[in-house]
Amino acid sequence: MEFTKGHGTGNDFVILPDPDGQLDLTPELVAALCDRRRGIGADGVLRVVRAAKHPDGAAQAGEAEWFMDYWNADGSFAEMCGNGARVFVRYLLDTGLVTPAGAALPVATRAGVVRALVEGDAVSVEMRRPQVYDDSTATLGGLTLAGTVVDVGNPHLVCVLPAGVELSALDLTVAPGFDPTVFPTGVNVEFIVAGDSVDGTDEHTVMRVYERGSAETLSCGTGACAVGAVALRDLGRDTGVVAVDVPGGRVTVTVTETSCWLSGPAVLVATGELNPAAFRP
Ligand SMILES: N[C@@H](CCC[C@H](N)C(=O)O)C(=O)O
């Protein structure tokens, strides 16, 4: 089986081409592929399958030819992956599965159809506008941190660090605690501090994230969108542009009246063949 490895600001994925949906992809196989010692190593898997050939994509097949079948490193599904969508589009273009056109490219996901534009190294994806809800809390290393609940298709809790708590000092080798009545299917938790405004953006934040199903990652695109929406709300604004620095680089979030654009680099680093014997159950 062929695979490609790619990443968006260090959020890395194993990409599996399966145009006709014939691959028996199981949680166990996904976890084995993502294992950083015994497998290829990644934060998640992107199966590239025709929307019409996957039960979760079929309803969107009129609008999008390809479905991003995203899985977390532990073998669980997620509704959406912002960086994954950007890397997915890079793969579709570089392998010639789609031909570049001026118009935004539609991609089906479990959270609906997203649209992508490519400009040089950068891939931008238009997703749903983040919905900012009530407050909740996360616990970490004896701290209880106030956070804001945000839905970007997948669930997020954005915690602004109080004065005196250093972002770099957080121990994210341990999963943060959260309220399971608010997040019955788990949550991605972002920890942020405000930075000085950069490059003409309205706001700039620095973020670390503990992802549901993948632990700490170097970047989370939907997490950055959630952070952007909260940062703008805290400025008293509904729309605007926020630069979000993650451990793996910088992404830019543009919240409009109706949607949210996530922009940043998306890179394919290698293609190879799996040894099937190593991944047999
Ligand atoms: N890294 C992704 C988010 C992946 C899904 C997430 N772990 C979840 O379970 O919701 C991104 O770039 O958005």
Side-chain angles (χ1 to χ4, degrees), residues 1-25:
M1 187 198 316
E2 186 189 299
F3 75 92
T4 294
K5 181 81 191 288
H7 75 93
T9 49
N11 194 187
D12 61 343
F13 308 98
V14 172
I15 304 159
L16 299 176
D18 183 27
D20 295 317
Q22 289 173 332
L23 179 63
D24 184 20
L25 195 54

Side-chain angles (χ1 to χ4, degrees), residues 11 13 70 72 76-84 154-156 188 211-214 217 219-223 262:
N11 194 187
F13 308 98
Y70 172 80
N72 285 321
S76 60
F77 291 120
E79 303 84 341
M80 184 54 199
C81 178
N83 287 327
N154 58 349
H156 293 268
N188 304 286
E211 285 196 37
R212 175 180 70 167
S214 303
T217 59
S219 180
C220 176
T222 48
L262 170 74

